[in-house]
Amino acid sequence: MRVSRRQAIGALGTAAIAAPYVARAAFQVDPVSGRSYSKRAIELVRQSVVVDMLAPIKIDFSPEFYAKPMSDQMVADFRASGITAIHHAVGLGGPDAKEAAFNFFAIWGNYVARNSHVLTGIGTFADILRAKRDGKVAVIMGLQNADHFLRPADVKTFYDLGQRCAQLTYNSQNRIGSGATDRVDGGVSDFGAEIIKAMNAVGMLVDVSHCGDRTTLDAIDISAKPLSITHSNCRALIEHPRVKTDAAIKAMAAKGGVMGITGVRNFVSKTDPTTIRHYADHIDHVVKLVGIEHVGIGTDSDLYGYDDTSPEMNKMLRGAYKDSYAFREKIDVDGFDHPLKMYALADELIRRSYSDANIKAVLGGNFQRLLTATWGG
């Protein structure tokens, strides 16, 4: 019988992390692999405000999922994960984008409210710190596009509904600018400059993760405030349209921004196996290029990963992207594809001789600084 990552971790890891004094010793978390995490890694995750700046609650957007209460297993996995805050965002676009955005915030805001025993909404970073104290997971509401902003005043409308982050474009051209997979990148439009100004004014984080190269640089230049590449990787390590050039990373850092590294396999390495070590290579690259203060985590995945989705959902997701995405048989990164991935990352950074302070910065401290400056609290 095939044992999924979810079943394996649920069998042993959840109970281990829930124990009051788990940080005092290494513990076994996976009865299939027998993998253990170090005392130091456990302590670092438990002490940190861990922020994943792109992590949907669940890669399942069907009414059959969100109409039901969260399962006991999923509750346990969230509590075991060590994650303090997730940025819940999807890509919406087209002529009905504004209506779709209203529906998105209504559906998922309600889901968070109905599962308030484990999730909580946020307005400022103080709410994320409160979630940490209360043992809950804070949900940052965002969208991976800005097509729903039909005029600059719409930015405040959606901010008042709870939106705290917006990508300017998804992979394709909109009225703001060009996407990462567009053949031609015309940069940020005049309308786009007004949207960025409106986002700066209300305190909504500007995100350029899926923007084309010129649009990315234009947005960084136009924004009066620090912005983010919430979930991407480094083109110096892998040639792919969805990852960022050194020039973009340097410009973002010079403005005070933070880049979250994603665990999507085809953004990490072109060869298999693609492991957590390849993932950490991208963290190393950003650190060497612009400093430890400008890198964090944006897994671009839920707790369980894309490879644990249903065959129907997996097929639908793959079919939504251009061939240039170059998906392979697996989408997730080996060793970074389960609810306890933050413990695995902490151990990998320990192996690379990162200090405790620097590991805490990567796990969430850097995004804490940026988001506090953006939202207050």
Side-chain angles (χ1 to χ4, degrees):
M1 180 179 68
R2 178 180 179 270
V3 179
S4 72
R5 289 191 297 272
R6 191 181 320 179
Q7 292 169 320
I9 291 163
L12 188 54
T14 297
I17 290 189
Y21 300 105
V22 65
R24 296 185 182 276
F27 62 95
Q28 187 178 358
V29 298
D30 188 336
V32 175
S33 69
R35 181 176 57 236
S36 297
Y37 299 130
S38 70
K39 172 187 173 183
R40 183 179 166 198
I42 296 163
E43 290 176 338
L44 283 168
V45 173
R46 288 171 63 88
Q47 293 167 6
S48 297
V49 176
V50 180
V51 180
D52 188 338
M53 273 305 290
L54 202 288
I57 292 170
K58 185 74 174 71
I59 305 174
D60 184 344
F61 308 114
S62 65
E64 289 75 22
F65 171 75
Y66 59 69
K68 297 177 181 178
M70 187 182 292
S71 70
D72 290 344
Q73 182 63 63
M74 195 170 170
V75 170
D77 290 340
F78 264 120
R79 289 175 174 163
S81 70
I83 297 170
T84 311
I86 58 173
H87 175 206
H88 177 72
V90 299
L92 301 173
D96 299 323
K98 190 171 183 179
E99 180 182 359
F102 280 129
N103 288 337
F104 174 83
F105 289 111
I107 289 168
W108 290 103
N110 179 266
Y111 185 86
V112 170
R114 286 187 290 109
N115 293 282
S116 61
H117 54 304
V118 62
L119 304 176
T120 186
I122 67 101
T124 70
F125 206 88
D127 298 317
I128 294 177
L129 298 178
R130 173 174 48 81
K132 175 75 172 178
R133 291 193 298 269
D134 294 346
K136 296 184 180 182
V137 177
V139 180
I140 302 163
M141 296 296 285
L143 283 174
Q144 295 189 64
N145 205 338
D147 244 2
H148 59 304
F149 298 150
L150 303 185
R151 53 190 183 126
D154 287 337
V155 173
K156 186 175 187 305
T157 298
F158 280 95
Y159 180 89
D160 290 343
L161 287 176
Q163 184 174 2
R164 290 297 179 268
C165 180
Q167 277 185 187
L168 297 180
T169 69
Y170 200 53
N171 288 325
S172 300
Q173 181 75 40
N174 64 15
R175 293 194 300 152
I176 291 171
S178 300
T181 59
D182 280 325
R183 183 176 60 85
V184 177
D185 186 347
V188 173
S189 67
D190 290 346
F191 175 74
E194 290 300 310
I195 293 298
I196 293 171
K197 181 179 178 181
M199 291 176 69
N200 287 167
V202 301
M204 186 182 293
L205 183 68
V206 177
D207 182 3
V208 292
S209 296
H210 281 251
C211 294
D213 292 346
R214 180 178 171 187
T215 297
T216 296
L217 290 171
D218 278 359
I220 295 168
D221 182 60
I222 291 166
S223 180
K225 293 185 177 181
L227 43 64
S228 182
I229 302 166
T230 62
H231 60 294
S232 189
N233 292 62
C234 308
R235 202 171 299 168
L237 301 185
I238 182 170
E239 183 65 30
H240 195 288
R242 247 288 279 128
V243 302
K244 297 301 182 184
T245 64
D246 281 359
I249 298 168
K250 287 179 179 179
M252 175 215 67
K255 211 65 175 271
V258 179
M259 178 178 181
I261 301 301
T262 171
V264 175
R265 196 179 195 90
N266 40 306
F267 304 160
V268 174
S269 172
K270 283 195 171 182
T271 60
D272 283 325
T274 297
T275 73
I276 192 171
R277 297 194 175 190
H278 296 98
Y279 177 91
D281 287 344
H282 288 265
I283 294 175
D284 282 351
H285 182 78
V286 177
V287 171
K288 291 172 184 174
L289 186 68
V290 296
I292 189 69
E293 303 90 350
H294 302 289
V295 67
I297 300 164
T299 62
D300 202 1
S301 177
D302 65 15
L303 287 178
Y304 309 108
Y306 292 92
D307 298 327
D308 260 12
T309 59
S310 69
E312 295 77 18
M313 181 64 66
N314 196 289
K315 181 179 180 180
M316 184 192 76
L317 288 166
R318 289 170 181 267
Y321 298 93
K322 295 180 181 179
D323 290 344
S324 59
Y325 255 57
F327 286 116
R328 305 203 294 275
E329 181 181 357
K330 294 181 69 176
I331 299 179
D332 301 323
V333 168
D334 300 343
F336 198 63
D337 54 355
H338 53 78
L340 302 178
K341 66 187 83 173
M342 298 305 169
Y343 293 89
L345 178 59
D347 255 338
E348 179 59 30
L349 296 179
I350 288 168
R351 281 192 288 271
R352 293 173 186 239
S353 300
Y354 278 67
S355 69
D356 286 2
N358 285 350
I359 293 172
K360 289 180 179 181
V362 173
L363 290 175
N366 290 332
F367 272 122
Q368 178 175 354
R369 182 188 69 251
L370 174 63
L371 298 177
T372 300
T374 304
W375 304 333

